Amino acid sequence: MSAAAPPLPTLLVIPTGVGCAVGGFAGDGLPAARLLAAASGCLITHPNVMNAASLYWSDRRVHYVEGWSLDRFAAAKLALAPVPSQRVGVLLDAGIEAELLLRHRQVIDACRASLGLTIGPVLSSDVPLEVSLSIGPSGSSWGTVGRPDALLRAGEALLAAGATAIAVVARFPDEPGSDALAAYRHGTGVDALAGAEAVISHLLVRHLGVPCAHAPALAPLPPDPGLDPRAAAEELGHTFLPCVLVGLSRAPSLRPEPASGHGLLHGADLGAVVAPAGALGGEAVLACAERGVPVIAVEGNPCLLQVGGEALGLPVIPASSYAEAAGIVLALREGLDPAALRRPPPPLD
């Protein structure tokens, strides 16, 4: 019996806050990530794909990398250092009310007692972070942090106290009656929180150089019998924090390139990148394409964007679904030309 092919490091990108049919909701990209991890043996993806509030999936073949870090990795400017565990410091927004704050502290206790995660220290910002939400001209979500100085001071204090990764819980505006929220809960809208979450995590990672991810603090919503299954994970508990703590607990450490050492993952080692067919204009995909990494464009994941391979002049391998994308990744891992699996076979150039 022949030995299994070595892993093919693969990047999975599903942009945040642009209404992707798969991965644009509450961790509904997880099944695709699990399948691609099995096909590739080594998957690098970002919290937007893996976070499902109270639900999560831990897999040593999946590397949980914040979006700014993922772009730098794809550009071969950061290496990833897998570690057995991180000490996750928790940064709590001073604007969180007492009862909601208690709920988040109980999640931290539960993850320590029931999952054995190494968590701490836990501290609050010295002033409220003042997060606001907005929607851009394209319909994608965005947001701002009114007190980025307080965010960075608290992050620095966590590192000084021994944290090696940081989970942030910021108080987000409650908009229970908004049309955008209703559309999202019914499976037709955009995640209005995602853009602001990306701003928070990007800012911290750029400043501190350690893995970070964000969980919004929100008041519970009334039950909705018409809830879309893709949004249901966010309705199961009082917080979004459990998945973030689990993801960060094994997130790889970040090493500026050139980096050396046993077991490091380098952007130069990537064998494929998988992204929605209409969302190929991001930094990670373009950096991979520039180096000749095969770009697998999933046509079965529509979103608000219409930035495809033809518009960008990029050669892509089309896939109708993530199941087909996983088959293409497996073919590449086994040294097969994916074109040989199509009928009729394409002509020689």
Side-chain angles (χ1 to χ4, degrees):
M1 185 172 65
S2 61
L8 182 83
T10 296
L11 195 64
L12 171 60
V13 178
I14 302 179
T16 299
V18 297
C20 288
V22 179
F25 292 83
D28 67 302
L30 262 170
R34 291 181 60 194
L35 184 62
L36 287 165
S40 66
C42 176
L43 187 73
I44 301 96
T45 192
H46 49 109
N48 180 58
V49 173
M50 302 300 293
N51 287 353
S54 296
L55 304 180
Y56 47 82
W57 193 268
S58 187
D59 186 329
R60 291 188 182 274
R61 298 169 298 185
V62 178
H63 301 280
Y64 183 94
V65 181
E66 181 275 336
W68 184 85
S69 310
L70 184 139
D71 290 343
R72 301 280 291 176
F73 170 73
K77 295 179 180 178
L78 275 181
L80 306 178
V83 295
S85 67
Q86 299 279 10
R87 174 176 288 277
V88 184
V90 182
L91 194 168
L92 299 168
D93 187 346
I96 302 174
E97 303 90 331
E99 182 175 336
L100 194 53
L101 185 66
L102 175 60
R103 295 293 189 184
H104 283 86
R105 289 189 173 275
Q106 288 172 338
V107 168
I108 294 167
D109 285 339
C111 286
R112 293 173 61 223
S114 298
L115 302 180
L117 304 188
T118 305
I119 302 175
V122 178
L123 59 81
S124 294
S125 58
D126 49 27
V127 295
L129 299 179
E130 300 176 2
V131 175
S132 62
L133 306 177
S134 60
I135 299 293
S138 67
S140 60
S141 67
W142 193 244
T144 60
V145 181
R147 294 300 304 268
D149 57 323
L151 177 70
L152 297 181
R153 279 196 301 273
E156 291 168 353
L158 285 170
L159 287 195
T164 60
I166 296 176
V168 186
V169 183
R171 184 63 167 100
F172 273 40
D174 293 315
E175 299 179 340
S178 76
D179 292 339
L181 177 60
Y184 174 77
R185 295 179 86 195
H186 294 164
T188 60
V190 171
D191 183 353
L193 312 181
E197 291 192 279
V199 169
I200 291 168
S201 59
H202 290 7
L203 183 60
L204 275 172
V205 175
R206 289 183 65 175
H207 185 67
L208 302 175
V210 299
C212 298
H214 178 266
L218 291 162
L221 292 168
D224 183 345
L227 193 70
D228 188 279
R230 294 171 295 172
E234 295 180 352
E235 312 276 337
L236 301 181
H238 297 278
T239 86
F240 298 78
L241 187 54
C243 61
V244 170
L245 294 176
V246 171
L248 287 173
S249 71
R250 287 186 186 161
S253 296
L254 310 176
R255 301 283 184 265
E257 293 281 25
S260 59
H262 177 71
L264 292 185
L265 294 172
H266 301 274
D269 299 330
L270 281 170
V273 55
V274 180
L280 302 182
E283 291 183 41
V285 174
L286 293 178
C288 289
E290 185 176 350
R291 295 203 314 278
V293 176
V295 177
I296 302 171
V298 181
E299 296 168 344
N301 191 9
C303 64
L304 292 175
L305 306 179
Q306 297 294 328
V307 186
E310 185 175 351
L312 295 169
L314 296 181
V316 303
I317 303 173
S320 61
S321 66
Y322 284 100
E324 184 176 354
I328 294 168
V329 167
L330 186 57
L332 293 171
R333 182 179 177 184
E334 291 290 335
L336 294 170
D337 180 358
L341 302 172
R342 299 187 181 276
R343 293 294 183 270
L348 288 172
D349 294 333

